[in-house]
Structure formats: C-alpha cells, structure tokens
Amino acid sequence: MRAATLTRRLLLVLGSGALAEDFLVGYGNYPYDPVCAQSCLQAFRPYLLNCSNFEAAKKPFDPLTPATSPSCYASDAPFLTSAAWCLNTKCPDESIAKLEAYWQQGLSGLKTVPPRWAYSVALDKVNPKPPTYQLTFKDVLLNQTSLVVEASYLSSWNGMTGLYNEEVDESKFGIIILVVAIGLPVVLTWVRVLPFAQAILDRINPYLVYPSIFGTFHTRPLPFLLGNVPTIGQSLYLAVFIILNVLLSAVDYKSLEPNAFYLTQYKEVVNYICIRTGAFAFVLMPVLLLFSSRNNVLLWLSNWPHSTFVLLHRWVARLFMVYAIVHSITALRIYRAFEETPWWYWGIVATVLTVALNVFSGLYIRRSQYELFLISHVVLAVLVMVGSWYHLIGWYAYLGKTIAKHNTLGYELWLYFAAAVWFFDRLVRVGRILRWGLQRARVTELGGGYLRVDLPGVRWGAEPARHVFAYFPTARPWTPWENHPFSVVPTSFLQGVVVPVPKAAKPEPHAGDEEKQLATSHASSTTPPPTDEAGVATGITLFVRKSAGLTSYLKPNSSLLTLLDGPYASSGSTREVLQCDRVLIIAGGIGITGALPWVHSHLNLKLVWSVKETGRGLVDAVDLGRVATKEVRIGSRFDLDALLAEEESAGWARVGLVVCGPGSLCDDARAAAVAAGRRGKTVFELEVDAFSW
C-alpha cells in the first residue's frame, strides 16, 4: 500500500506540470517551476476537499478520474487560502508576478481551469495570519485554512527537484548524443581544410582509417555470415559514440531524501535509469533513420560514403535495442502495477519488435531473402515507431497530459524528428522518380548471366561514383516496389571514340604484353545503343549480373517499364581522388560500370580489369578504346601488391586508388593500399565502390 501511494504521488506530480510546454525539459519546458510552489500544492494533494468525490476516493487511483477534479481545486476556499499562505512562506525569493502566473495556470492542474481567486486575493483572505491549524498525516479532509506539513513539503520538494534534475539531464545529454552523432562526420570532413591537416591525415590513414579491425574482412562478410567488420576508422567513431552513450547513461544520478515518490534510494535511481534509457532510445531513433536514408544530409555535408552510414546504422540499431531492453526491465521494477494499461502493452510491442528488427536484419537473412528482409525491415521499423508513439501518448494520457494541451514533457519531439527524417527521405525519393517519369529500357542479354540495360531517355552528367535505384515493376508484378542499386555509366562512354594519350601520362612497361592485356576495340554491343540525330549514343546504361531476386526475372526486352530513383553519390571523396597526380582504377567483373566514369574524369590514369571466364560477353559490350593505359584479364586476377608497387616505383607522390568490384577484391585492394601506404613512398587516396549486401 505504501508503494502504491508513492507511485500515485509520482504520477500526480508528473501530470501536474503547470508551465510545461511541448519542448524538452530545461529547454523551453519548465514543468515544475517554481518548485517551491509546486511542492506546496503537492503537499496538499493527498487531502480530500469538501467538493471531492468521496466514492471515487475509495477506489484504486486513476488519474483520468481523480477524486478531486481541477474545478474543485479551483473553487475550494480552504484549499486556495492554504495554498496561498504556503506560497507566501515557502517562495520568498520568487517575484509576485511569477507566483501569480503559476497560480493562474497551475493551481487546478489544468491551464484551462483557472482558480476563482487570484493569488493576491486568496492571500488576503487568509484569516488568521498565520493560520493556526497544523495539518498532520492523520488528517483526511482539508476544510479550513491550514499550515502545510513540513515533512510532506520537504519530501515533495525533494521528489520534484530530483525528477526535474533528471529530466533536464536527459534533455542535455540527448542533445549531446545527437550533436556528436551528426556533427562528428561533418567536423572530421572539414578538418581537412586546416593547415597541415592533410599531411597528418596522409600519415594516419594507413594505420587508423583504412585497415579493418579483423584481418582483411570488411566488405566481404565474416565466416558463417556473422556480419561485416568495420574499419579502424569506423570503429573509432563507434567507440566514441558507444562510450559517450555508456557514460551519459551512468552519470549524474542524484538521490534526495526524504522523497515523496520512492520508498528507497534504490527504487529512485532505478526509476531514473528507466526514464533515461527510454529517452535515449527516442534520441537514437532519428539518428537511426538518418544514417539509413538515401537522402541523408550528411552525405552532402561530409565525405563519408553511404556504405559507412549503413554500417553505423546497424550498430546504432543494436544500441537502440539495448536501451529498449534496459528500459523495459527497469520499468518492471517500478511500474509493475500498471502492466494492464494500454501504454504498457504498447511498450512491450515496441520492445519486442525492436529485438525482432535486429535479429531479422542479420546478414544471413539479407543474403538469403533480401526482398523479404527489405519489406519486413520497413514494416517492422514503422511498427516500432507506432508502438513507441502510443506507448508515450498513453503514458501522457494516464498522467492527464495531452499534446493538444501543450503540457507534455517533450519526449515526443524526438519522435517528430525521426518522422521528419523518414518522410523527407521518402518524399525526395518520390520526387526523383517523378522527375524522370516512366522510362522504357532496352534489355540485352550478354551471356554468362550478364545483362545490359539501356535507358535512352535519361541524360545525366559524367560525374564518377554515382548509382541509381532502378524499379522494374512489370518484371515481377507481384512485388512492384522492389528496387536495386546499380552503378551508372553514360551510354556515350561505350562508343569506340579514341582519346589521344595525355602528355602527362607516362607509358606503362606492360602496356604491350599480350598475356596481360587485351586491346579492346570491339563494337559496343551486338545490338547498337540508341543514338541521337547526330549518331551519338544517348542516355545511361546499367550492367546487371543476374542473381536471386528481382534481377533473376530480367529478360531481353525492347521496352521494359522502368522507374529511376537517383542519381545518388556512392562516395563523397571523389574530389580528393581527382586531385591526385595519378589515378589507378581496379575493376572486377561488373564493377567496370562504376569504373568507367572515372576514366573520363582524370588525364593521368590506368585501368585494370579482371573478369571471370563467364564474363567474355561483358568485355565485348564495353569499349575501352578511349582508355590510353589499360590491362584486361579474363579468368585471372591481378597481383594487387605488384600494381601498387609499380605506381610507387614510377615516382608518383599521390595516387588515387579506385576499386570497383566484389567484396573480396575490394578488401584485398584495401589491404594492399594499407601496406603500400605504410611504406610511405607514395600516398594512396583510397576510394572503394563495392557491390555487396
């Protein structure tokens, strides 16, 4: 019974913030200000008034139907005079204007129900002064002007001060987490403009940025599809972010005794942990959605690639899950009496679905059932947001708070932010699709499981490192929402136009070695690409390697309905690569699609391309006649260490290394770049454009 009474008092004070607004507590929202006045009112709340509902008082506490209504508090003379005298004696440092404002908005518990007397009028009606009757804990009815119980006032003051301090910490720490999560990529990008910063980065990249934290695994998964390993650079960001969250989850818990809301200090601290972990989970929600978005503003403000943000998204999701679990476990210790309420059920739904979302996002699911993963991921994410919303709104309602009345504790702002990120991304996606409209693609079979998709109605620039998400709704009509990312190459790049050898380029010692090189001056395709009136190929081209899912349904077609969401940048560091003295492009298989735009962006480059035996049709479809220095191998790979050593021996000070291809090739190239960079003879600016799950 004692615990139930304390919980009742806690819910009363949470629901009675007079000057609360729907902002973060401590930042435009001051629900218990002034605390002295709020403590006076809370010390009188346990007592019934002459206008109270005595039958309701006999029933279990329900804040939706309290025994004493706001109108009763606003009109009862003994309550008004007792409260006025308490404010007069306990709030000597507060201005009369502030006390009058609080009195009008907070005395009854509802802003819309003002008291019948102003504070100064109620104070004048106190007779005698000071009051002679001293309330005790044994009293049930407040029916005359009375003095507050000092112990009750102190315990109420301690309880509200502790709650307020905790809620301010949640707001402050939440802002810190959000600023660090979003701001760190931007700061680390723009630090390059500082004097000597580039020289320092060149030295640390092979040690603290490029390498994987476990062997050479990064793009390719760990054995048994356990997942993808972050690089050291990504791990440093994750370490800073996770340590920050752990510290902010563990510090600055202040217990004040005696306390009107908690039997023990243990329960007080557990309640604070419960509230803080729930708040931090809400803080991470917009970060989660931002990192996974195609239209992530950080892609425009930093040079971090989308693949990095997706990897960080997965780790932030795991941290979000931990917060949700801890919040639920601690809630069982404090709020078990409310396990039959709707807001409790919605909290369970949100937590269970959060765990399911993480479990079913494993690489083993993404590899085997990508389309199922994609649609279930979106549906579960939406349901987690819905569950969180109704959990919060239901809890507010139980406290007598509503968003419409602007008397909340501000937690919904994090959900608003998350929803805004999600809707912005979706809106821009729809805008991109509408911009390009309905396209008709020509699909050509190249053999070996490769397809060429020409889209003559689309004219994009020749910038490197770009991709598009393509929808083929009629290829698989029962799942028209399915889409896949593809690297983009302008169709004109596939014509046999010979470009003179740039004067800046040095001849390669193996350029004429027929065993290592195939001079590719083939026709662009067995089926000529679409051309304009001048005979120049127009539009864009996608090369597709058939696999499970949507691409397995693509067949030769002269007019396949296609929708395009793009183009998107695959990387934000193209400028750093193009500023190098030399660019070495390593492509594997269908990665040539991502490599070709680089060929037209730098005067001094070398292209090496390895293709499986089954990819001969792909080689025939790509004309490399305009590439001055190139090597193509069918059926074997290049010695990557030897390639980089060759660039070092040529004396280049700075080489941009671009890798486009499968995960194993990208990871091997990364390891070779790390080894070469640590030798220190040449600086390698690494850019990886991998196709992986």
Side-chain angles (χ1 to χ4, degrees):
M1 288 298 293
R2 175 63 173 160
T5 301
L6 294 181
T7 304
R8 175 179 180 270
R9 289 183 177 179
L10 174 60
L11 292 175
L12 276 172
V13 71
L14 286 172
S16 62
L19 301 180
E21 298 288 347
D22 45 3
F23 299 105
L24 296 177
V25 174
Y27 297 84
N29 187 347
Y30 307 98
Y32 318 122
D33 185 37
V35 173
C36 57
Q38 187 77 14
S39 300
C40 282
L41 298 188
Q42 292 308 314
F44 289 122
R45 297 288 187 195
Y47 301 100
L48 296 175
L49 307 181
N50 289 326
C51 53
S52 297
N53 185 332
F54 291 89
E55 290 300 320
K58 299 176 183 178
K59 299 178 181 179
F61 171 68
D62 183 353
L64 298 180
T65 57
T68 305
S69 66
S71 59
C72 180
Y73 283 121
S75 60
D76 187 80
F79 174 77
L80 293 174
T81 53
S82 300
W85 184 256
C86 185
L87 265 65
N88 179 62
T89 56
K90 299 299 184 183
C91 304
D93 298 327
E94 302 292 348
S95 68
I96 297 298
K98 186 173 183 179
L99 293 178
E100 286 281 10
Y102 175 82
W103 183 272
Q104 289 296 318
Q105 298 185 55
L107 185 86
S108 70
L110 284 180
K111 293 181 182 181
T112 55
V113 184
R116 66 170 178 168
W117 296 331
Y119 164 65
S120 56
V121 173
L123 187 60
D124 287 340
K125 291 183 178 294
V126 175
N127 186 26
K129 293 182 180 180
T132 57
Y133 186 76
Q134 174 66 62
L135 281 173
T136 67
F137 288 118
K138 295 181 179 180
D139 289 317
V140 175
L141 185 66
L142 175 61
N143 58 2
Q144 61 179 307
T145 304
S146 306
L147 294 172
V148 69
V149 178
E150 290 297 328
S152 180
Y153 172 84
L154 177 60
S155 63
S156 294
W157 191 93
N158 285 340
M160 277 182 292
T161 300
L163 274 175
Y164 180 73
N165 290 339
E166 172 57 30
E167 289 164 1
V168 171
D169 281 346
E170 291 163 12
S171 300
K172 177 176 61 180
F173 294 161
I175 292 172
I176 291 173
I177 290 172
L178 187 68
V179 169
V180 170
I182 296 176
L184 200 55
V186 179
V187 171
L188 293 177
T189 295
W190 289 95
V191 74
R192 287 173 173 265
V193 304
L194 297 176
F196 310 110
Q198 188 60 58
I200 296 173
L201 289 173
D202 291 341
R203 289 183 176 275
I204 67 174
N205 280 343
Y207 296 93
L208 298 179
V209 178
Y210 294 157
S212 168
I213 62 169
F214 183 75
T216 60
F217 291 96
H218 176 59
T219 305
R220 58 192 173 118
L222 288 168
F224 309 108
L225 299 180
L226 294 178
N228 296 96
V229 177
T231 63
I232 292 180
Q234 293 167 343
S235 299
L236 289 175
Y237 174 92
L238 288 170
V240 169
F241 189 68
I242 292 173
I243 290 172
L244 176 68
N245 274 267
V246 171
L247 288 176
L248 296 183
S249 300
V251 301
D252 210 25
Y253 291 108
K254 301 181 181 70
S255 175
L256 297 175
E257 300 293 334
N259 198 296
F261 312 136
Y262 309 102
L263 279 173
T264 64
Q265 187 180 58
Y266 167 78
K267 287 195 173 183
E268 180 183 6
V269 174
V270 169
N271 182 65
Y272 293 160
I273 294 173
C274 175
I275 299 173
R276 189 179 297 188
T277 52
F280 284 3
F282 278 8
V283 171
L284 292 187
M285 199 172 289
V287 178
L288 265 175
L289 294 172
L290 182 66
F291 283 2
S292 66
S293 298
R294 296 177 188 176
N295 298 285
N296 178 357
V297 294
L298 296 180
L299 295 173
W300 310 330
L301 298 176
S302 73
N303 64 354
W304 291 22
H306 185 249
S307 58
T308 291
F309 285 113
V310 171
L311 183 144
L312 299 180
H313 160 81
R314 295 172 189 146
W315 283 92
V316 175
R318 292 160 189 153
L319 184 58
F320 176 85
M321 178 180 66
V322 171
Y323 277 140
I325 292 173
V326 173
H327 174 72
S328 299
I329 292 174
T330 51
L332 282 171
R333 300 288 298 173
I334 302 298
Y335 296 104
R336 188 66 177 266
F338 304 98
E339 60 184 0
E340 299 297 325
T341 59
W343 56 272
W344 183 277
Y345 291 139
W346 279 113
I348 294 174
V349 168
T351 300
V352 171
L353 292 182
T354 295
V355 175
L357 194 58
N358 278 269
V359 171
F360 292 111
S361 297
L363 187 59
Y364 44 87
I365 299 292
R366 302 201 305 272
R367 276 286 181 92
S368 60
Q369 298 290 336
Y370 180 75
E371 283 75 17
L372 177 62
F373 152 76
L374 199 60
I375 188 64
S376 64
H377 200 67
V378 173
V379 171
L380 288 176
V382 170
L383 290 177
V384 168
M385 290 187 67
V386 170
S388 299
W389 173 262
Y390 282 108
H391 173 60
L392 179 63
I393 298 306
W395 183 59
Y396 279 162
Y398 209 76
L399 300 177
K401 296 178 178 291
T402 63
I403 291 176
K405 294 177 181 177
H406 303 286
N407 64 344
T408 69
L409 298 175
Y411 296 120
E412 69 276 9
L413 293 182
W414 302 114
L415 297 180
Y416 290 160
F417 190 8
V421 170
W422 192 87
F423 279 109
F424 174 78
D425 179 49
R426 262 51 186 185
L427 184 63
V428 176
R429 290 189 194 186
V430 172
R432 291 178 187 269
I433 293 173
L434 293 177
R435 179 185 178 186
W436 304 116
L438 300 177
Q439 297 292 327
R440 291 290 174 176
R442 189 179 66 195
V443 182
T444 306
E445 185 80 46
L446 301 178
Y450 293 96
L451 298 170
R452 172 174 173 164
V453 180
D454 291 301
L455 291 147
V458 182
R459 288 173 174 80
W460 291 343
E463 293 87 353
R466 295 207 297 180
H467 64 276
V468 65
F469 291 87
Y471 297 75
F472 305 107
T474 58
R476 199 177 185 185
W478 54 93
T479 55
W481 59 81
E482 286 186 29
N483 61 95
H484 280 267
F486 299 98
S487 296
V488 179
V489 58
T491 307
S492 59
F493 287 7
L494 303 176
Q495 287 184 305
V497 180
V498 179
V499 176
V501 178
K503 293 182 180 180
K506 295 184 179 182
E508 297 300 323
H510 300 291
D513 190 342
E514 294 298 328
E515 183 178 355
K516 292 186 177 180
Q517 175 182 334
L518 287 175
T520 54
S521 57
H522 317 288
S524 298
S525 174
T526 54
T527 304
T531 60
D532 59 14
E533 294 179 357
V536 178
T538 61
I540 61 172
T541 295
L542 317 175
F543 287 105
V544 180
R545 184 180 181 185
K546 286 187 176 183
S547 60
L550 175 63
T551 56
S552 64
Y553 290 85
L554 294 178
K555 296 178 175 57
N557 194 319
S558 61
S559 183
L560 178 63
L561 178 62
T562 305
L563 303 176
L564 299 176
D565 175 16
Y568 291 96
S570 302
S571 169
S573 60
T574 56
R575 184 177 66 174
E576 287 81 1
V577 172
L578 296 177
Q579 288 176 345
C580 293
D581 308 317
R582 169 81 158 176
V583 175
L584 173 62
I585 305 173
I586 302 174
I590 205 168
I592 191 63
T593 315
L596 282 177
W598 289 95
V599 170
H600 300 267
S601 302
H602 201 281
L603 292 176
N604 184 18
L605 60 87
K606 177 180 179 179
L607 170 67
V608 296
W609 181 23
S610 59
V611 188
K612 292 181 179 180
E613 286 288 351
T614 56
R616 288 185 177 273
L618 179 63
V619 175
D620 292 335
V622 178
D623 189 344
L624 300 179
R626 66 179 61 198
V627 184
T629 309
K630 58 185 174 293
E631 292 183 37
V632 180
R633 284 188 179 179
I634 299 178
S636 64
R637 278 191 176 182
F638 292 91
D639 184 336
L640 300 181
D641 291 318
L643 284 173
L644 270 61
E646 187 177 301
E647 298 300 320
E648 287 181 285
S649 63
W652 304 111
R654 193 176 194 86
V655 175
L657 178 59
V658 179
V659 189
C660 307
S664 56
L665 173 66
C666 293
D667 286 349
D668 290 344
R670 180 181 297 275
V674 168
R678 291 178 178 178
R679 290 194 292 267
K681 297 180 181 179
T682 299
V683 174
F684 286 91
E685 188 72 44
L686 181 63
E687 169 60 32
V688 176
D689 185 4
F691 44 92
S692 62
W693 300 92

